[in-house]
Amino acid sequence: MTITQVDAEDHALPFNVFAKACPSRGTLEHITGRWGGLTLGALYEGSLRFNELRRRVDGVSEKMLSQTLHALERDGLVHREAQPTNPPRVDYELTPLGREVAERLLGLIHHLESRMDDVLAAREAYDGMRGGV
Amino acid sequence: MTITQVDAEDHALPFNVFAKACPSRGTLEHITGRWGGLTLGALYEGSLRFNELRRRVDGVSEKMLSQTLHALERDGLVHREAQPTNPPRVDYELTPLGREVAERLLGLIHHLESRMDDVLAAREAYDGMRGGV
DNA sequence: CGGTATCCCGGCCGATACTG
DNA sequence: CAGTATCGGCCGGGATACCG
């Protein structure tokens, strides 16, 4: 009874993120996941090495950064450039597609940050209601 | 006007989502979390009742939808309107701020879906490299 | 430096039952 | 209809150790 089959021949607009089995949902979760968005945002400024990225994205562990980068690379959003030098040097940078996505993501983030005072005020109002004055 | 002028001596922006202790990070995670974005997206079309929302956001459980709505309401992105009728009727709708956020989020989603074929191609290429010798 | 492998805990999340 | 309460599995993700 699943209506989630995506026909490979019909390319019109076969993707619907609201359907749970749609592949776009998975990719959206890579992008908007806990570390995905911050990683894309950090790389928007330019190419970065692994540990630079790790310092830039405050709080991410080696494992999660590695995992996140693999997912983004697989989705074609990030390009990994390894140089066979010693010590090794690996640079990560956005692909054109990654850049488009990061741009929109950063727009969202900046917009949110510019209105955080409203969010904070709403939180206080909400908590005040429940706390019962 | 803008909050970017808080303290000239301090850093430019008061909120920095890249810092792990910044409140904007928490709100961003509500928005981009597993259900937050889809919920905002669904409400963008118009006001919806609890179970309408549940059907629209494929796969969400009662508990998670309830939790998500509370978080979004607390952040001032969603307005909850309860009518004391019997049976009860509760409508959820976006606040102006929620609408601004949802707009950008939907822009991102739409853009992503329009380029999913590239993502899928990148995935095949990536998987081919690793598995196909 | 740039990772991978392993262990393990907290909490996310789904399922179920119950309430108003 | 619109939720809350509770339980339990599973897995996200941190810590650590180890490799090229």
Side-chain angles (χ1 to χ4, degrees):
Chain A
M1 225 38 202
T2 45
I3 46 177
T4 52
Q5 283 282 30
V6 176
D7 190 358
E9 294 172 345
D10 182 6
H11 275 231
L13 249 187
F15 300 109
N16 172 21
V17 79
F18 291 100
K20 66 179 168 188
C22 183
S24 64
R25 182 117 138 204
T27 300
L28 181 64
E29 280 171 17
H30 292 156
I31 294 170
T32 62
R34 179 138 181 227
W35 304 116
L38 297 176
T39 302
L40 290 173
L43 286 175
Y44 187 75
E45 300 168 4
S47 165
L48 287 174
R49 301 173 64 179
F50 189 83
N51 280 316
E52 289 171 341
L53 214 36
R54 200 154 120 67
R55 264 172 295 218
R56 183 84 176 83
V57 181
D58 189 18
V60 70
S61 68
E62 281 188 2
K63 184 176 122 179
M64 290 318 299
L65 180 56
S66 175
Q67 213 170 92
T68 300
L69 285 169
H70 278 306
L72 295 177
E73 188 192 355
R74 193 169 99 98
D75 285 348
L77 299 168
V78 162
H79 175 67
R80 178 180 186 277
E81 182 111 22
Q83 294 168 33
T85 60
N86 192 338
R89 176 189 179 102
V90 181
D91 290 278
Y92 292 92
E93 60 184 343
L94 296 181
T95 63
L97 176 55
R99 182 155 287 272
E100 295 165 19
V101 168
E103 214 157 301
R104 290 176 182 270
L105 210 43
L106 282 171
L108 174 63
I109 289 174
H110 285 141
H111 183 80
L112 173 66
E113 292 191 331
S114 78
R115 303 216 34 182
M116 272 308 288
D117 45 354
D118 289 311
V119 171
L120 263 22
R123 293 233 265 243
E124 265 186 58
Y126 184 89
D127 293 346
M129 296 280 282
R130 309 198 67 214
V133 180
Chain B
M1 188 159 195
T2 61
I3 51 172
T4 58
Q5 55 181 7
V6 236
D7 266 331
E9 342 175 16
D10 221 341
H11 36 57
L13 275 168
F15 297 110
N16 173 20
V17 79
F18 291 100
K20 67 177 167 189
C22 182
S24 65
R25 182 118 137 205
T27 301
L28 181 66
E29 281 171 15
H30 293 156
I31 293 170
T32 61
R34 180 141 181 224
W35 304 116
L38 297 176
T39 302
L40 291 173
L43 286 174
Y44 187 74
E45 299 168 5
S47 165
L48 286 175
R49 301 173 63 178
F50 189 83
N51 281 317
E52 288 172 341
L53 214 36
R54 200 152 118 67
R55 261 170 265 124
R56 184 85 177 83
V57 181
D58 190 20
V60 70
S61 67
E62 284 187 0
K63 185 175 122 180
M64 290 318 299
L65 181 56
S66 176
Q67 212 170 95
T68 300
L69 285 169
H70 279 308
L72 295 177
E73 189 192 353
R74 193 169 99 98
D75 285 348
L77 298 168
V78 162
H79 175 67
R80 179 180 185 276
E81 182 112 23
Q83 293 167 35
T85 60
N86 191 340
R89 177 188 178 101
V90 180
D91 289 280
Y92 291 92
E93 61 183 343
L94 296 181
T95 63
L97 176 55
R99 182 155 288 273
E100 295 165 19
V101 168
E103 214 158 302
R104 289 175 182 270
L105 210 43
L106 283 171
L108 173 63
I109 289 174
H110 216 136
H111 183 79
L112 173 66
E113 292 191 332
S114 78
R115 305 219 29 186
M116 272 309 287
D117 45 354
D118 289 311
V119 170
L120 262 22
R123 295 233 263 242
E124 265 186 57
Y126 183 88
D127 293 346
M129 294 279 284
R130 315 201 71 211
V133 176

